[in-house]
């Protein structure tokens, strides 16, 4: 056809657009598309294979092979050249296809005479949806331009596939792979089961317009968008948005690097040259990144690919003007899926609709996990690549008890989970029955069970669980939700409400514990290399006495003359505790001078969560009214493992001998000075860990509301004395080989403890 044949990718895309607008049936449209591609590429054959949910690649349309092979010929993933391309998500170009070791001959297609072969994966979000192939009987070396043109065309086919354009061509009983059910093993952060619908925390931008009218105009749009994006990244640096977390700074650094990477930008420009709009070109290049990311085993490279992927999302947002889904638009039973998110992000979602969160990263002691638990959400982490393989609206089941996620579950799985939910409702009812029973072991040791809290939303659970009070009220959560510093009156309102809801039960208000991963964007400072060990918590409070004074003032006023318990976080040296006490004393005197009611009694406690304080306990204990152990930070600092980094955080058992010895040191010292000691770290809410704590003499445990029932049930069936003796022996004998965990697990099994 001379010049009419060929004409380059831009002509092809325009023709495709016209075909998409024509009133054709699905198969006719697809046939016309492969005809157009063959014609444009001067190929004898053009075939389109679709990956089905049973991992077979089915021939959906062909120009040049025998028509009767359509919907008949299939190849398995990894089988033949088409299967190879699908499995590796990489293009393949061959002068002589039959000589390739993976070549698989299908007689029904009549492909014998075709030697040269060019195949590209049809990708969406990095997942293979199908394969597009051209073949020629003459020996022909396909150039890079031709591969690029095929990939550009494949982007459009991928969109059509995911928009269910070919729904009617799918045989009954099978489906395209994109919608395949998936099961993922995950790590549990918050127990329970949730059946719901995916809401992507960073929703993919939907590209509507694929084919460019004017390539120069598209390039100008791209250039402008890249400039805007670079400026916004520079701004973030300048504003120091990420100053409190070195992780975030790293990400920003790599954003900046990629945003100025000519290679990346050039590849997008090339896709525009081939006729795509700026946003479609960005998505086309992003597809390659995602495909590499999903197949990359090296965690470092994978992280960088994640960053590049995020950057592409940013660029897409600038180009399309698409923002995030508003938190208010959540569907019922929403399950938020994210690579990672901070506690403040989580708190922005509508609590009445949110059932669960699923993170690709994260660790159980990260604050987002703590907040999720305190909100009673089902929460899991380390769900490999989940944000890339699901779509907003997908059905999902999150089993936070077993640590499994079912994405697009089959009806059988759904039915069995519906039963499980009924069962867990029974379990909840059983725990509710325990509510008014005193938590006393079989041999008469009383254990005080308390809540960790921080929001009005989670205080109401006190009524349901029958806990003895709030052992830890994390006041920083109010600061993390707010967009600006909460005023004195707002702080008073929250504390008053907390005291009102708790009624007769005591609430231990912890002074602001900002910093580390508790990012409060409006309280900026210099960037820090190690924010967890930086200017945070009490250090920040003592350096900014205005902040501390306001909070103490709010607490004293909220008490309205009643007794008040205040807990000082991150005490590294006793001297700091004294300084905090001084501030409280001054505020108390000031309030008294105004004639307003002052608390009839203030009990002041110290968190023990910095290892150094373990060697100053004899000075600390006489000065405090109570102590509270923060195992999350204490274990982080004792083992030098970032609590929010799952790669290292799980390497060291928090109840292994060295850590348990450290905890016992505190318990013994508190006993000598007759000071009440509470555990308020996450250890308290896990049955085996709680058993370890009880066995070293702790009797006050503060935990997320959902853990109270299971821990109480365990206590009620427990005879504590024998295990205390066994653990004491293990601790003093210094048996370094024997694991305390194994000892406790075996013992719990022998005693038939409900663990
Ligand atoms: C802890 O460190 O264990 C603790 C209870 O405090 P947070 O988790 O808020 O740092
Ligand atoms: Mg802490």
């Amino acid at each position: 056809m001379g010049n009419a044949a060929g004409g380059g990718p831009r002509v092809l895309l325009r023709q495709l657009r016209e075909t998409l607008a024509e009133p054709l049936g699905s198969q006719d449209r697809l046939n016309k598309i492969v005809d157009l591609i063959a014609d444009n590429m001067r190929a004898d054959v053009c075939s389109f294979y679709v990956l089905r949910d049973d991992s077979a690649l089915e021939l959906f349309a062909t120009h040049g092979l025998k028509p009767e092979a359509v919907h008949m010929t299939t190849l398995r993933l990894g089988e033949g050249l088409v299967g190879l391309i699908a499995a590796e998500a990489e293009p393949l170009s061959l002068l002589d296809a039959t000589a390739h070791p993976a070549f698989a001959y299908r007689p029904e297609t009549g492909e014998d005479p075709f030697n040269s072969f060019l195949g590209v994966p049809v990708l969406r979000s990095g997942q293979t949806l199908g394969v597009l192939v051209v073949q020629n009987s003459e020996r022909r070396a396909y150039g890079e331009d031709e591969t690029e043109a095929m990939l550009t065309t494949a982007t459009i086919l991928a969109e059509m596939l995911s928009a269910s354009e070919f729904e009617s061509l799918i045989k009954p009983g099978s489906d395209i792979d994109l919608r395949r059910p998936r099961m993922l093993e995950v790590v549990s952060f918050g127990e329970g089961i949730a059946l719901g619908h995916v809401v992507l925390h960073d929703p993919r931008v939907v590209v509507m317009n694929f084919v460019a009218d004017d390539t120069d105009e598209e390039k100008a749009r791209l250039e402008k968008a890249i400039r805007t994006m670079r400026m916004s990244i520079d701004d973030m640096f300048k504003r120091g948005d990420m100053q409190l977390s070195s992780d975030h700074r790293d990400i920003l650094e790599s954003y900046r690097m990629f945003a100025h990477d000519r290679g990346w930008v050039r590849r997008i420009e090339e896709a525009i040259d081939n006729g795509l709009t700026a946003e479609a070109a960005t998505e086309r290049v992003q597809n390659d990144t995602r495909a590499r990311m999903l197949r990359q085993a090296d965690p470092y490279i994978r992280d960088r690919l994640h960053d590049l992927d995020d950057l592409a999302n940013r660029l897409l947002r600038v180009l399309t003007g698409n923002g995030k889904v508003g938190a208010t638009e959540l569907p019922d039973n929403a399950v938020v899926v994210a690579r990672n998110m901070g506690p403040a992000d989580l708190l922005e979602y509508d609590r009445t609709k949110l059932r669960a969160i699923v993170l690709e990263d994260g660790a159980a002691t990260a604050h987002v996990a703590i907040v999720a638990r305190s909100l009673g959400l089902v929460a899991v982490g380390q769900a490999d690549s989940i944000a890339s393989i699901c779509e907003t609206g997908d059905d999902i089941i999150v089993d936070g008890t077993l640590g499994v996620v079912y994405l697009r579950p089959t009806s059988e799985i759904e039915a069995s989970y519906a039963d499980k939910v009924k069962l867990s409702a029974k379990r909840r009812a059983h725990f509710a029955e325990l509510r008014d029973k005193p938590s006393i072991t079989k041999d008469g040791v009383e254990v005080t069970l308390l809540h960790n809290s921080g929001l009005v939303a989670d205080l109401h659970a006190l009524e349901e669980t029958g806990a003895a009070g709030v052992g830890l009220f994390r006041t920083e959560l109010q600061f993390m939700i707010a967009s600006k510093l909460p005023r004195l009156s707002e702080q008073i309102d929250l504390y008053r409400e907390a005291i009102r809801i708790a009624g007769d039960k005591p609430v231990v208000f912890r002074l602001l514990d900002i910093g580390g991963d508790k990012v409060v964007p409006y309280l900026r400072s210099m960037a820090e290399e190690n924010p967890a060990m930086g200017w945070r918590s009490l250090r920040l409070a003592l350096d900014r006495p205005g902040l501390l004074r306001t909070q103490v003032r709010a607490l004293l006023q909220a008490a309205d003359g009643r007794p008040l318990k205040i807990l000082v976080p991150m005490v590294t040296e006793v001297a700091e505790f004294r300084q905090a006490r001084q501030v409280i004393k001054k505020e108390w005197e000031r309030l008294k001078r105004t004639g307003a009611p002052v608390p009839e009694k203030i009990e002041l406690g110290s968190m023990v969560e910095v290892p150094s304080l373990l060697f100053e306990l004899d000075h600390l204990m006489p000065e405090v009214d109570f102590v509270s152990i923060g195992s999350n930070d204490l274990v982080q600092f004792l083992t030098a493992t970032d609590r929010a980094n799952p790669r290292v955080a799980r390497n060291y058992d928090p109840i292994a001998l060295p850590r348990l010895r450290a905890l016992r040191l505190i318990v013994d010292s508190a006993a000598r000075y007759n000071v009440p000691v509470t555990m308020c770290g996450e250890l308290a809410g896990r049955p085996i860990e709680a058993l370890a704590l009880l066995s070293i003499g702790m009797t006050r445990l503060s935990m997320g509301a959902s853990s109270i029932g299971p821990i109480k049930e365990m206590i009620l069936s427990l005879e504590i004395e024998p295990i205390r003796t066994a653990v004491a022996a293990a601790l003093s004998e210094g048996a370094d080989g024997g694991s305390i965990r194994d000892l406790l697990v075996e013992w719990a099994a022998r005693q038939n403890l409900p663990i």
Side-chain angles (χ1 to χ4, degrees):
M1 283 172 91
N3 233 358
R10 270 194 247 168
V11 173
L12 174 59
L13 283 191
R14 222 164 296 139
Q15 289 169 330
L16 285 178
R17 180 162 67 179
E18 280 158 23
T19 312
L20 294 184
E22 276 178 57
L24 292 171
S26 301
Q27 188 68 53
D28 290 343
R29 192 188 313 280
L30 208 45
N31 291 345
K32 185 146 188 209
I33 289 173
V34 287
D35 287 346
L36 282 173
I37 298 171
D39 188 29
N40 188 280
M41 306 272 303
R42 296 194 188 92
D44 301 321
V45 173
C46 174
S47 309
F48 176 45
Y49 296 81
V50 172
L51 184 60
R52 296 194 314 222
D53 57 355
D54 60 355
S55 295
L57 286 143
E58 177 179 319
L59 181 63
F60 257 54
T62 184
H63 166 106
L65 298 183
K66 287 185 183 162
E68 38 301 7
V70 172
H71 297 299
M72 294 305 293
T73 289
T74 56
L75 288 146
R76 284 192 314 279
L77 200 62
E79 182 194 20
L81 300 175
V82 170
L84 186 70
I85 293 165
E88 306 208 330
E90 295 273 358
L92 183 64
S93 156
L94 298 166
L95 215 53
D96 181 6
T98 54
H100 193 283
F103 181 77
Y105 176 59
R106 286 284 187 271
E108 74 274 15
T109 62
E111 72 182 321
D112 315 41
F114 306 110
N115 288 314
S116 308
F117 175 103
L118 168 62
V120 297
V122 175
L123 298 173
R124 182 144 195 282
S125 297
Q127 280 193 89
T128 302
L129 304 190
V131 175
L132 182 65
V133 173
V134 287
Q135 288 170 282
N136 281 78
S137 48
E138 61 177 2
R139 278 168 149 277
R140 168 173 167 190
Y142 300 98
E144 259 181 44
D145 288 0
E146 282 157 313
T147 307
E148 192 52 44
M150 286 280 278
L151 282 166
T152 305
T153 318
T155 309
I156 304 231
L157 285 170
E159 270 325 293
M160 293 174 76
L161 260 175
S162 51
S164 308
E165 284 267 342
F166 309 130
E167 195 89 8
S168 59
L169 308 181
I170 298 161
K171 286 197 196 89
S174 70
D175 205 342
I176 60 169
D177 185 67
L178 183 68
R179 293 195 286 265
R180 176 163 57 92
R182 305 255 189 158
M183 189 199 100
L184 288 98
E185 286 186 13
V186 294
V187 174
S188 170
F189 297 163
E191 299 238 333
I193 293 167
L195 279 75
H197 309 284
V198 169
V199 172
L200 279 172
H201 180 58
D202 278 311
R204 261 192 285 295
V205 178
V206 183
V207 175
M208 306 293 278
N209 191 7
F210 274 82
V211 184
D213 289 321
D214 178 341
T215 305
D216 290 337
E217 201 177 295
E218 293 304 317
K219 282 200 177 157
R221 284 183 63 224
L222 176 71
E223 203 188 302
K224 186 159 169 257
I226 286 186
R227 233 181 299 126
T228 310
M229 185 185 69
R230 284 178 185 158
M231 260 154 41
S232 81
I233 294 172
D234 289 345
D235 265 5
M236 278 195 266
F237 262 109
K238 270 194 222 119
R239 287 202 317 263
D241 259 11
M242 307 287 181
Q243 45 88 16
L244 287 169
S245 150
S246 64
D247 274 2
H248 286 175
R249 215 174 41 250
D250 282 353
I251 291 173
L252 219 47
E253 288 286 3
S254 70
Y255 279 177
R256 183 137 80 174
M257 187 184 84
F258 287 129
H260 288 85
D261 176 356
R262 280 306 303 159
W264 184 61
V265 178
R266 201 177 324 110
R267 282 196 295 144
I268 302 175
E269 283 169 350
E270 269 166 26
I272 294 179
D273 278 334
N274 279 337
L276 290 179
T277 56
E279 52 268 44
T282 307
E283 187 172 286
R284 141 86 193 87
V285 173
Q286 187 186 26
N287 255 329
D288 291 349
T289 313
R290 284 225 165 120
R292 279 166 61 206
M293 190 168 80
L294 291 176
R295 288 161 183 80
Q296 181 56 248
D298 181 309
Y300 178 78
I301 299 178
R302 213 174 139 124
D303 282 353
R304 296 289 77 77
L305 289 169
H306 263 319
D307 298 343
L308 182 54
D309 184 41
D310 284 343
L311 193 72
N313 268 340
R314 271 173 192 274
L315 186 56
L316 280 171
R317 286 211 184 92
V318 178
L319 281 164
T320 59
N322 269 356
K324 282 189 171 194
V325 181
T328 48
E329 293 161 40
L330 282 188
D332 284 338
N333 294 321
V335 174
V336 168
V337 175
R339 297 243 166 85
N340 213 342
M341 67 202 288
D345 295 329
L346 176 57
L347 291 166
E348 272 172 28
Y349 284 103
D350 176 357
R351 262 288 297 121
T352 58
K353 305 213 166 145
L354 185 60
R355 290 282 294 118
I357 59 163
V358 179
L359 303 179
E360 276 187 21
D361 302 338
T365 49
H367 280 103
V368 62
I370 290 172
V371 171
R373 260 195 304 279
S374 80
L375 291 173
L377 295 174
V378 180
V380 298
Q382 296 170 48
D384 196 18
S385 305
I386 184 138
S388 306
I389 58 173
C390 66
E391 300 276 347
T392 290
D394 276 349
D395 287 342
I396 190 167
I397 295 174
V398 187
D399 186 336
T401 310
L402 285 182
V404 219
V405 167
Y406 294 92
L407 185 60
R408 300 178 287 267
T410 59
S411 49
E412 293 81 9
I413 299 270
E414 251 191 76
S416 90
Y417 266 90
D419 282 348
K420 275 196 179 192
V421 167
K422 272 191 218 135
L423 248 167
S424 73
K426 266 196 196 155
R427 235 169 102 74
R428 271 205 305 279
H430 168 61
F431 293 144
E433 280 168 19
L434 303 181
R435 198 187 78 147
D436 297 322
K437 280 201 174 177
S439 50
I440 300 182
T441 64
K442 286 201 326 204
D443 46 355
V445 175
E446 183 164 3
V447 183
T448 307
L449 299 180
L450 301 148
H451 275 201
N452 287 349
S453 175
L455 303 162
V456 168
D458 59 24
L459 277 161
H460 293 281
L462 267 180
E463 185 58 26
E464 285 159 41
T465 62
V470 176
L472 169 66
F473 190 91
R474 290 181 164 105
T475 58
E476 59 276 8
L477 294 190
Q478 183 190 25
F479 285 66
M480 288 157 68
I481 318 171
S483 54
K484 56 182 182 23
L485 205 64
R487 286 200 306 264
L488 173 71
S489 60
E490 289 164 323
Q491 294 183 44
I492 296 175
D493 287 349
L494 173 70
Y495 305 149
R496 225 178 233 149
E497 184 64 0
I499 294 169
R500 188 191 65 76
I501 297 173
D504 304 337
K505 298 178 177 178
V507 180
V508 175
F509 289 99
R510 184 173 70 181
L511 296 178
L512 277 179
D513 186 25
I514 288 169
D517 68 335
K518 296 178 194 173
V519 182
V520 177
Y522 46 84
L523 277 181
R524 300 185 208 297
S525 68
M526 304 280 287
E528 292 180 304
E529 275 301 316
N530 286 305
M533 298 194 281
W535 194 57
R536 56 171 288 200
S537 194
L538 182 60
R539 299 161 189 181
L540 186 148
L542 292 175
D543 285 355
R544 290 188 60 165
L547 196 65
L548 178 60
R549 273 204 302 266
T550 308
Q551 187 183 28
V552 171
R553 201 166 293 175
L555 284 167
L556 295 176
Q557 290 189 34
D560 278 329
R562 278 164 297 183
L564 186 64
K565 289 178 193 283
I566 298 179
L567 178 59
V568 187
M570 280 289 288
V571 176
T572 310
E573 295 189 335
V574 176
E576 288 172 336
F577 178 79
R578 290 187 192 128
Q579 271 178 273
R581 191 172 51 203
Q582 257 328 94
V583 174
I584 295 168
K585 188 164 171 273
K586 274 203 180 140
E587 281 307 313
W588 186 88
E589 284 162 357
R590 183 181 168 280
L591 185 64
K592 195 163 169 59
R593 277 200 303 276
T594 66
V598 286
E600 60 191 54
K601 181 177 164 201
I602 297 180
E603 285 180 66
L604 190 58
S606 167
M607 288 286 288
V608 182
E609 54 183 346
V610 179
S612 179
L613 202 57
L614 263 57
F615 307 97
E616 222 186 346
L617 291 173
D618 281 328
H619 293 105
L620 179 74
M621 292 298 176
E623 305 215 15
V624 295
D625 296 306
F626 61 96
V627 291
S628 201
I629 305 177
S631 59
N632 306 337
D633 277 313
L634 186 61
V635 172
Q636 145 166 281
F637 294 125
L638 278 173
T639 56
T641 49
D642 180 351
R643 62 193 262 180
N645 181 347
R647 241 179 265 157
V648 292
R650 62 168 168 239
N651 287 358
Y652 305 99
D653 186 350
I655 55 164
L657 278 173
R659 269 72 76 191
L660 210 52
R661 284 201 186 107
L663 295 176
R664 194 182 55 171
L665 205 68
I666 307 164
V667 177
D668 290 351
S669 167
R672 275 200 305 281
Y673 289 91
N674 210 9
V675 168
V677 53
T678 305
M679 165 59 78
C680 65
E682 299 308 306
L683 288 189
R686 295 191 221 131
I688 284 290
E689 285 79 353
L691 188 56
L693 299 173
L694 296 171
S695 69
I696 56 165
M698 296 204 74
T699 53
R700 295 176 60 84
L701 305 177
S702 191
M703 63 198 77
S706 58
S707 299
I708 298 269
I711 297 289
K712 192 177 208 177
E713 193 187 28
M714 185 265 285
I715 289 169
L716 292 176
S717 8
L718 176 69
E719 204 186 324
I720 188 76
E721 225 22 73
I723 190 67
R724 280 195 174 162
T725 314
V727 169
L731 284 173
S732 51
E733 275 164 20
D736 61 311
S739 146
I740 292 282
R741 184 176 294 276
D742 290 350
L743 186 139
L744 293 171
V745 169
E746 269 169 40
W747 194 82
R750 250 185 290 131
Q751 296 269 313
N752 241 341
L753 281 188
I755 277 182

